[in-house]
Amino acid sequence: MDVYEMDIATFEPTCIFTNDEGYEFGSISLNKRFISLGKVNNANDSNVYIFDRQTEKVLHATPHEGDIQNIPQAFCRNSENLYFLADENEEFVYLKKHHISTGVTEDVVKENWDIMFTRFSKQNTYMVYGVNQDASTVVKVLHVGTGDYLDLPQLPEGQILDLKFSADESLMTFLFNGPNSPTNLYSYELGTSQLKQLTHTLNPEVSQDDLADAEVIRYPSFDGLEIPAIYYRPNVKAGEKAPALVYVHGGPGGQSRTDYNPLFQYLANNGYAVLAVNNRGSSGYGKTFFSAADLKHGEIDLEDCIQAKNFLRGQADIDGEKIGIIGGSYGGYMVLAALAFRPDEFNVGVDIFGVSNWERTLKSIPAWWESFRDALYKKIGNPYTQTEYIRSISPLFHADKIKKPMIVLQGANDPRVLKVESDEIVAALEKNNVPVEYIVFPDEGHGFLKKENRIKGYRAVLDFLEQYLK
């Protein structure tokens, strides 16, 4: 994407950087001279560049060997330094800064988890950064001059998702949510310590007391590796045993987090436990864990999901004979993989726009996703040189082994997981007389944005589970 500046008095846009090399825009310095750019080489390796508008040259700020993540963030107030994230010589992503005129790079902040973002307040008094701490965002505010951390207001259990300062730095606003509370906007006055909740987004017909809490747990996988997961306990009466679902996030390389998930709450309120698995290959737990499933997807990460089922079977309030698997996008692929490659493990599958044929999907990456093509090839495999392997992990070529009921949801306009991916797996199941339901939303793409479609889709999933699992 090219970078434009718009005159907000006339709304006239002017192109200030023409992007012919597949860069990703990061930020622009306050003096407007420098533009930071990122470039992905593969899922584990990326670089930071700085475009000097004065000389019209691109400076490579992070030359290195091997796989190292480098991600541009913000320029300091005097436009002399660029802050960026990196994992060089470390397991977790930390904050560094690059002095533009000298080329000297130095470490700034390290945590025992990934730092996800950083920004500065308007007058550069504070540096704000977010830490991905065990699937929750922890925001920290550092006084640049003193090195002290600002005390943030006391809040209920949950996480601050975004935090910004007013121009005079006397007021901050932030978004906040939790497992049983959708996102709301707050303001906080530093001088008076006055905290105000500005929005109330939970439907008044829903009682927060009825919503499920999220518990971060860990369970051992087949090789002893501990797998993190988020457990939503079902809303059932004492002594009853509930059916359960293993949920697999998208990606590959995504992460299930402890934020508000209306689908999980809907399922829990109707008596289903949900265990959202962060199988190996997920982000947020270090680069070794993140790369542990490279070229083993649909195999080693699937085993982690099987062990999630075994964790659920060990819970006193779970019916171990009624456990299904659910997921969207890459998680939808994992649903198909589970039912095709381990057909006796789960009772049902809920496939939400999942990949069934990796060969076709990897070859049909749209132009605007081209910069991630090599990243995906390193994760999954190269469809041109590893065709036999790619087909071996593609459920469509093994659909004859699927025998458990499944529901499939798909957006007709999805550019990432094409509709044909779902069409063909559904046709294969129908041919084999496997119970399958198929819902296509003609006005959706990769993810369902319209509320009426989400309601229709969630209700269909619940009806399917009521019939085939509960």
Side-chain angles (χ1 to χ4, degrees):
M1 295 187 181
D2 299 332
V3 182
Y4 282 77
E5 179 184 16
M6 178 176 282
D7 184 327
I8 59 172
T10 64
F11 293 107
E12 286 295 322
T14 302
C15 184
I16 60 174
F17 177 72
T18 302
N19 184 6
D20 296 323
E21 301 295 332
Y23 296 112
E24 296 175 23
F25 172 73
S27 56
I28 188 166
S29 60
L30 288 179
N31 65 6
K32 300 184 183 180
R33 175 176 173 178
F34 301 109
I35 296 174
S36 71
L37 304 163
K39 194 168 189 181
V40 174
N41 297 324
N42 60 55
N44 309 314
D45 184 49
S46 55
N47 272 296
V48 171
Y49 296 85
I50 300 172
F51 175 64
D52 187 339
R53 296 179 63 203
Q54 185 172 304
T55 64
E56 296 189 341
K57 292 183 178 180
V58 175
L59 165 71
H60 186 187
T62 56
H64 65 272
E65 295 182 359
D67 286 349
I68 298 174
Q69 291 279 20
N70 296 284
I71 307 164
Q73 294 294 290
F75 290 92
C76 66
R77 184 169 181 79
N78 62 15
S79 303
E80 293 180 355
N81 297 288
L82 171 66
Y83 287 75
F84 67 100
L85 301 176
D87 63 4
E88 184 176 15
N89 300 321
E90 297 287 345
E91 190 66 28
F92 293 100
V93 175
Y94 60 100
L95 185 62
K96 305 181 75 170
K97 70 176 178 180
H98 176 86
H99 194 274
I100 299 172
S101 63
T102 66
V104 174
T105 297
E106 61 183 275
D107 299 347
V108 179
V109 177
K110 292 183 179 180
E111 299 276 352
N112 291 323
W113 300 91
D114 285 339
I115 295 179
M116 299 185 297
F117 65 85
T118 185
R119 67 171 66 98
F120 290 92
S121 59
K122 302 289 187 181
Q123 298 182 29
N124 216 52
T125 304
Y126 301 102
M127 181 176 72
V128 181
Y129 67 92
V131 182
N132 185 356
Q133 184 172 309
D134 212 7
S136 294
T137 301
V138 175
V139 171
K140 298 188 177 184
V141 181
L142 181 69
H143 192 289
V144 176
T146 66
D148 295 329
Y149 284 93
L150 188 68
D151 289 331
L152 296 177
Q154 292 295 314
L155 293 158
E157 182 180 354
Q159 57 187 341
I160 294 174
L161 301 180
D162 197 4
L163 188 152
K164 295 177 181 177
F165 281 87
S166 61
D168 65 1
E169 299 182 343
S170 66
L171 181 74
M172 66 171 67
T173 59
F174 56 87
L175 299 173
F176 181 85
N177 78 14
N180 58 3
S181 174
T183 302
N184 281 294
L185 178 64
Y186 287 76
S187 68
Y188 179 68
E189 291 184 9
L190 274 64
T192 63
S193 300
Q194 185 177 25
L195 176 69
K196 291 182 180 179
Q197 182 176 341
L198 306 179
T199 64
H200 297 271
T201 56
L202 184 65
N203 190 314
E205 295 184 20
V206 177
S207 170
Q208 190 168 348
D209 293 337
D210 292 336
L211 299 180
D213 287 324
E215 178 186 359
V216 176
I217 62 98
R218 281 169 169 77
Y219 63 88
S221 192
F222 67 97
D223 57 355
L225 181 66
E226 286 207 326
I227 304 300
I230 304 168
Y231 187 34
Y232 297 80
R233 295 184 182 276
N235 185 6
V236 294
K237 296 178 181 178
E240 291 185 355
K241 289 183 178 290
L245 293 162
V246 172
Y247 175 84
V248 191
H249 59 66
Q255 183 188 30
S256 283
R257 296 171 55 77
T258 59
D259 50 10
Y260 185 76
N261 189 305
L263 176 57
F264 294 173
Q265 293 294 348
Y266 183 55
L267 293 171
N269 259 264
N270 281 280
Y272 295 86
V274 178
L275 184 64
V277 174
N278 282 317
N279 49 270
R280 72 189 76 193
S282 302
S283 58
Y285 305 97
K287 60 185 179 184
T288 300
F289 193 87
F290 179 71
S291 61
D294 287 0
L295 301 181
K296 302 174 188 174
H297 286 286
E299 300 172 287
I300 195 167
D301 49 359
L302 177 56
E303 289 294 336
D304 294 340
C305 297
I306 301 296
Q307 296 304 315
K309 185 197 76 168
N310 293 337
F311 166 84
L312 287 166
R313 294 182 74 173
Q315 304 305 302
D317 54 355
I318 298 299
D319 186 337
E321 302 306 314
K322 295 180 179 180
I323 299 177
I325 184 168
I326 178 174
S329 192
Y330 179 79
Y333 158 69
M334 291 293 285
V335 170
L336 298 177
L339 269 58
F341 304 135
R342 302 296 292 273
D344 296 318
E345 295 289 351
F346 294 98
N347 297 87
V348 298
V350 179
D351 164 27
I352 305 172
F353 45 87
V355 175
S356 64
N357 181 352
W358 276 116
E359 182 182 9
R360 174 173 51 216
T361 292
L362 292 170
K363 287 181 177 179
S364 64
I365 293 174
W368 53 268
W369 211 27
E370 194 75 9
S371 63
F372 290 99
R373 182 187 61 188
D374 291 341
L376 206 52
Y377 283 8
K378 180 158 185 173
K379 281 284 182 190
I380 305 297
N382 190 314
Y384 298 99
T385 62
Q386 299 171 280
T387 304
E388 186 174 341
Y389 168 71
I390 291 294
R391 291 184 178 183
S392 75
I393 63 168
S394 295
L396 183 63
F397 300 105
H398 310 272
D400 59 315
K401 298 181 178 65
I402 298 177
K403 55 187 179 182
K404 297 298 175 63
M406 183 160 60
I407 183 171
V408 179
L409 279 66
Q410 175 73 46
N413 307 316
D414 194 331
R416 297 194 187 186
V417 180
L418 304 178
K419 179 174 173 287
V420 65
E421 293 287 316
S422 294
D423 290 345
E424 291 189 354
I425 197 71
V426 168
L429 297 187
E430 289 176 340
K431 180 181 177 182
N432 294 332
N433 296 315
V434 176
V436 60
E437 296 181 19
Y438 189 26
I439 297 176
V440 177
F441 296 107
D443 53 352
E444 296 283 12
H446 194 71
F448 308 141
L449 299 181
K450 296 179 174 61
K451 183 175 288 188
E452 60 270 23
N453 290 339
R454 293 202 302 271
I455 292 173
K456 178 182 177 181
Y458 292 172
R459 282 178 174 164
V461 168
L462 181 63
D463 290 344
F464 168 84
L465 295 173
E466 296 285 294
Q467 180 177 355
Y468 290 104
L469 186 59
K470 184 179 278 188

